[in-house]
Amino acid sequence: MVKKYVLVICGILGYRFLFCLSGFLRTLYYEKQYKDYIFGKRNDFAACTAPVKKLFKQAGLMDTTFTESVLAGYGQISTGRASVVENLNFRREDVMALALGMFSKAKGTFRMNMMECISPLYWVQLVVFLPVKLCGYLGISETKAIPKLLQAVYWLLAPLLLIFRSQLYEFIVQLLQQAK
C-alpha cells in the first residue's frame, strides 16, 4: 500500500520535473532560433511565433507591449501599444530587447520550477498551504477572503482528521455497511 503511494508521488514529481525540463529546453531552442533570426542566420521567425507564445504562457509570463508610432498622413502620427510576442518577426531594437528579456524570464521560471520539484521545503509548503494554492490554481486571488477562510478551516480540520482517523474510518465503514 505504501509502495503505491510512493510510486504515485514519484510519478507526479517525475512528470512535473520533465515538464519543466522540457519547457526549459524548448526556451533554449527558440531563444537560439530567435538570435539566429536577429543576426541574419535565419530568414523568418514567424513560424515560431505560436510555439513561443504557448511557451511563454506555460511559463506564466504576461505579454509585454511596446509603443508603436506610424505616420498617418497629413502631418498626423498614430500611436498605440503593440504586443511583443505577436511582433517577434520585426527587427526593431526595442522589440528584440523585450523579447530576449522574456526568453530570459521563461528560462528562469522553468529552472526555478525544476528546482522546486526536488526541494522538500516546497512540497511541505504546498501541503501546509494547500487550499490557498488550489484557489490560486483555479484563478481565485489568494488575497481574497474565500482562500483565507478555506485555509483556516483546513488548518483546523487536518489535525482533527489525523487524530480521529481510526474513529472516522470505522464510522465510514458502518455507514457503507448500513447502505447495503
Side-chain angles (χ1 to χ4, degrees):
M1 183 73 159
V2 173
K3 192 175 185 180
K4 289 180 184 179
Y5 287 127
V6 170
L7 286 175
V8 168
I9 290 171
C10 288
I12 291 170
L13 289 174
Y15 172 77
R16 186 168 189 265
F17 185 83
L18 289 175
F19 179 79
C20 296
L21 179 63
S22 168
F24 182 75
L25 294 175
R26 285 181 292 140
T27 303
L28 291 175
Y29 172 77
Y30 285 116
E31 182 182 38
K32 183 183 179 324
Q33 296 296 315
Y34 188 65
K35 285 180 179 178
D36 287 349
Y37 171 70
I38 289 172
F39 296 120
K41 296 177 185 174
R42 182 185 168 108
N43 293 331
D44 188 31
F45 193 75
C48 298
T49 301
V52 168
K53 188 176 183 179
K54 184 177 179 181
L55 187 66
F56 288 162
K57 184 177 179 183
Q58 287 174 345
L61 298 179
M62 299 294 293
D63 192 6
T64 309
T65 58
F66 64 95
T67 304
E68 178 78 41
S69 300
V70 179
L71 289 174
Y74 301 108
Q76 300 293 316
I77 297 176
S78 173
T79 60
R81 306 288 295 167
S83 163
V84 170
V85 175
E86 294 296 330
N87 292 291
L88 287 172
N89 210 37
F90 295 112
R91 288 188 177 119
R92 285 182 42 171
E93 282 187 32
D94 54 346
V95 174
M96 292 185 296
L98 290 169
L100 290 173
M102 290 180 75
F103 278 113
S104 292
K105 287 179 186 177
K107 284 191 299 189
T109 299
F110 287 121
R111 185 181 302 121
M112 177 189 70
N113 290 345
M114 281 190 299
M115 293 300 117
E116 284 178 346
C117 286
I118 58 176
S119 169
L121 293 176
Y122 169 78
W123 292 104
V124 168
Q125 183 183 15
L126 181 69
V127 169
V128 171
F129 295 102
L130 187 62
V132 172
K133 298 289 185 185
L134 282 175
C135 287
Y137 179 74
L138 296 173
I140 302 169
S141 175
E142 297 175 1
T143 59
K144 295 200 176 198
I146 292 174
K148 291 180 180 181
L149 179 65
L150 290 173
Q151 185 67 51
V153 169
Y154 176 74
W155 281 343
L156 290 172
L157 289 181
L160 291 175
L161 290 174
L162 287 173
I163 292 169
F164 298 112
R165 70 177 172 249
S166 60
Q167 291 90 345
L168 182 64
Y169 176 75
E170 289 173 12
F171 177 71
I172 292 172
V173 168
Q174 287 176 355
L175 284 177
L176 291 174
Q177 288 175 351
Q178 289 175 0
K180 288 182 181 181

